[in-house]
Amino acid sequence: MTPVSSPSPHGQSPLRTVQVLGGGNAGSSAHVRSLAAGLVARGVRVTVCAPLDADHTYDFTGAGAEHVHVPRSSDPASVAVLRAACTGADLVHAHGLHASFRAALALGGRGTPLVVTWHNRAHAEGARARFLRLLERRVVKAAAVVLGTTSDLVDRARRAGARDARLAAVALPGQRTPVERDDPDRLRPKIRAELGATGRPLLMAVGSLDPQRGYDVLLDASRAWRRLDPVPLVVIAGEGPLRQVLQRRIEEEGLPVRLIGRRDDVAELLASADLALLPSRWESRSVLAQEALHARVPLVATSVGGIPELVGDAAELVPAGDAEAFADAVVRLLTDPERREQLKEMGLRQAATWPTEDETVAQVLSIYDELTQARPFA
């Protein structure tokens, strides 16, 4: 059912926006859900164009938006569905490169303002990398405003020719306060026992099992921890194409690492850990980094992408791809309880500087107002 919007000021008809998602990683999908809820609460009519499974997972309709199923494809039929959904919209906001490209095709120069948010960047080499750069140039040429979730994504958009590129305010959606969470001290022993980490340090990593995440480097680093007593256990929550490769290495090399697949209780798992690990080759606004700092879990991460500006000095940062540096940082923290406590407090202070969901919606709405000032009156 399409939600009924609140009356708009000055007699204008309610603003109607279309939010476009492609495959949508967890961060961008959760962002769109949060954005939809905030916009609807402010009287904006919101349509979310996304695959059906995305609505099942993120419940855009539960946020008050209308959902239109658009497959993960740029074929003519999918573009036609998207074009129909965008008809009559005051503004279209696409999230991610491929969703932005489809939105540009669907709008076809009809004059509807297009806002694009880049949450991440694709990783490719050779011909595919050249193809993605062409897509980027096509998208930024069509967009009135490009929002990047990190400074380097903003710079990338400008290099691609964006006429207006800005740093996006992006909150960590649905962040619960300590009062609202289940008591971590009560759950901690149970979770650690389930994972096999009773009486030994628990090191937690979360993310899809793909090359970008740097889990091959994490496995290399874990060799150094076998000399510790007790031996720390590394637990990786996530699924992906490297599952079999990583599992084979763990078994053949006898590494103290467990792959536990995709989990719905990541916040609870993280709150039970002694350290959070982020060995990625590139990240934007890492959800794991944000969750770790909020949960007062010391973080060891690579100094890549948007990580340094996100965490500041509230984490141990090491070069990407350097297994020895990563292992050394972990060992130092495990043997230095004072430093761990310091990072916990610094993490909370750093998290307090991040945008709230209200601030995120306010920034987006101000951009929408800039681009739709000439809308007709009701």
Side-chain angles (χ1 to χ4, degrees), residues 49-72:
C49 293
L52 195 60
D53 60 342
D55 187 48
H56 289 158
T57 302
Y58 294 95
D59 193 20
F60 304 120
T61 51
E66 176 186 8
H67 172 252
V68 174
H69 169 59
V70 178
R72 297 177 177 86

Side-chain angles (χ1 to χ4, degrees), residues 225 227-228 275 300 316-318 324-340:
W225 307 328
R227 70 175 186 269
L228 300 179
L275 300 179
V300 178
E316 294 285 348
L317 298 181
V318 300
E324 183 177 355
F326 204 97
D328 289 347
V330 168
V331 172
R332 283 198 308 273
L333 279 183
L334 289 177
T335 56
D336 189 347
E338 290 186 6
R339 176 60 175 161
R340 294 200 302 274

Side-chain angles (χ1 to χ4, degrees), residues 43-213:
V44 178
R45 292 179 58 203
V46 178
T47 299
V48 177
C49 293
L52 195 60
D53 60 342
D55 187 48
H56 289 158
T57 302
Y58 294 95
D59 193 20
F60 304 120
T61 51
E66 176 186 8
H67 172 252
V68 174
H69 169 59
V70 178
R72 297 177 177 86
S73 172
S74 297
D75 63 47
S78 297
V79 172
V81 173
L82 185 55
R83 182 179 298 118
C86 293
T87 299
D90 296 299
L91 181 141
V92 174
H93 188 164
H95 301 262
L97 179 59
H98 294 284
S100 302
F101 177 67
R102 286 195 288 274
L105 289 178
L107 292 176
R110 67 172 65 175
T112 305
L114 174 64
V115 176
V116 165
T117 297
W118 284 357
H119 296 265
N120 216 320
R121 68 176 175 86
H123 299 267
E125 297 178 357
R128 177 161 174 76
R130 292 191 291 273
F131 171 70
L132 291 174
R133 285 195 292 273
L134 287 173
L135 281 190
E136 289 177 347
R137 289 197 287 272
R138 171 70 183 270
V139 164
V140 301
K141 183 178 179 180
V145 176
V146 179
L147 296 172
T149 59
T150 64
S151 295
D152 62 335
L153 286 174
V154 174
D155 292 341
R156 187 179 183 90
R158 288 173 179 157
R159 289 195 300 271
R163 55 182 179 259
D164 187 344
R166 314 180 193 181
L167 186 64
V170 178
L172 179 62
Q175 180 60 40
R176 293 177 293 169
T177 67
V179 173
E180 294 172 317
R181 297 191 196 102
D182 291 327
D183 181 2
D185 292 332
R186 180 180 61 83
L187 290 177
R188 184 180 171 95
K190 178 182 177 183
I191 290 174
R192 291 174 71 94
E194 175 207 332
L195 297 175
T198 300
R200 61 193 298 198
L202 174 60
L203 316 181
M204 194 77 211
V206 180
S208 56
L209 307 182
D210 59 48
Q212 175 195 335
R213 299 294 180 178

